[in-house]
Amino acid sequence: MINWLTNSLVYYGISFNTSDLVGDPYVNFGLSIIVELIAIIVTHFTLERFGRKIPYSINMIMTGASLLCVFFVPPDMGFLVTTCALVGKFSISFTYNTIYIITGESHPTVIRTSAISVCQTFARMGAIIAPNVQLLGELYWYPMPFVIFGACSSISAVLFIFFVSETKNKKLPDTIDDFINN
């Protein structure tokens, strides 16, 4: 559930931030859409070839690293902030698409839709928090939202690596007993 909250927080945080990046806001928004579409296509092929856990973990770490890099970008090099944000947008779009698959494959058939619904509730909490985190950057310090989003992504990646198992080519649990025994 933490990964759902983080995915939504970071995804919407970056999406809401595209107009604040250096450059034309319309171009930035267009680039954001193109990057997201590419991420969706790459997600499909990557998950079929490499499974779910490793690509998800790599992309969450990549999201965290790219957003934490904004902290080190000098103020006069705003195009690097835009580049880091777009790399983060690619990675978080990848993980957002992947988390649906992982959650669906991890839970038994009898509670699968309920499990996804509960996770979606946590995701909506992240979507509610995202604009408020964005305000911190406007009020206090420009890189603050990027640092918060990057730290959350990195922490979520570590938690995911340790607590979630691979679901590719595994038999889906049909009952709660199957779920508990696996």
Side-chain angles (χ1 to χ4, degrees), residues 162-175:
F162 287 116
F163 295 112
V164 179
S165 60
E166 176 63 61
T167 60
K168 184 182 180 203
N169 296 329
K170 302 282 182 179
K171 183 182 179 306
L172 297 180
D174 289 324
T175 64

Side-chain angles (χ1 to χ4, degrees), residues 46-53 101-102 105-106 165-173 182:
T46 304
L47 295 182
E48 286 302 313
R49 183 174 174 117
F50 299 107
R52 280 75 164 126
K53 186 173 183 172
I101 296 167
I102 292 169
E105 291 178 347
S106 298
S165 60
E166 176 63 61
T167 60
K168 184 182 180 203
N169 296 329
K170 302 282 182 179
K171 183 182 179 306
L172 297 180
N182 286 340

Side-chain angles (χ1 to χ4, degrees), residues 12 14 26 33 39-40 47 61 70 76 86 94 100 103 105 121 123 139 143 166 172 177-178:
Y12 287 109
I14 293 173
Y26 299 108
I33 291 170
I40 291 168
L47 295 182
I61 291 169
V70 172
D76 61 330
L86 290 175
F94 184 101
Y100 279 94
T103 304
E105 291 178 347
T121 302
L139 296 175
E166 176 63 61
L172 297 180
D177 287 334
D178 292 344

Side-chain angles (χ1 to χ4, degrees), residues 4-175:
W4 277 85
L5 188 140
T6 301
N7 268 289
S8 189
L9 172 73
V10 176
Y11 176 82
Y12 287 109
I14 293 173
S15 296
F16 295 154
N17 192 35
T18 55
S19 62
D20 295 337
L21 297 172
V22 172
D24 185 86
Y26 299 108
V27 172
N28 289 341
F29 184 73
L31 289 172
S32 176
I33 291 170
I34 291 168
V35 164
E36 186 168 353
L37 289 173
I38 293 169
I40 291 168
I41 293 166
V42 169
T43 301
H44 173 72
F45 294 109
T46 304
L47 295 182
E48 286 302 313
R49 183 174 174 117
F50 299 107
R52 280 75 164 126
K53 186 173 183 172
I54 293 172
Y56 180 90
S57 302
I58 289 170
N59 277 283
M60 276 304 267
I61 291 169
M62 198 162 77
T63 300
S66 67
L67 296 177
L68 288 172
C69 282
V70 172
F71 178 74
F72 301 105
V73 174
D76 61 330
M77 300 184 80
F79 69 93
L80 283 178
V81 173
T82 303
T83 303
C84 289
L86 290 175
V87 169
K89 176 72 172 195
F90 173 87
S91 300
I92 203 67
S93 295
F94 184 101
T95 60
Y96 210 137
N97 290 308
T98 307
I99 197 81
Y100 279 94
I101 296 167
I102 292 169
T103 304
E105 291 178 347
S106 298
H107 292 85
T109 305
V110 294
I111 62 165
R112 190 166 293 141
T113 55
S114 297
I116 290 176
S117 297
V118 169
C119 291
Q120 276 289 327
T121 302
F122 279 86
R124 296 302 158 230
M125 286 185 222
I128 291 168
I129 296 168
N132 297 311
V133 172
Q134 198 60 38
L135 286 174
L136 293 174
E138 293 174 14
L139 296 175
Y140 298 108
W141 184 48
Y142 178 73
M144 186 178 284
F146 294 107
V147 171
I148 291 170
F149 297 147
C152 288
S153 296
S154 300
I155 292 167
S156 290
V158 170
L159 291 173
F160 185 85
I161 290 168
F162 287 116
F163 295 112
V164 179
S165 60
E166 176 63 61
T167 60
K168 184 182 180 203
N169 296 329
K170 302 282 182 179
K171 183 182 179 306
L172 297 180
D174 289 324
T175 64

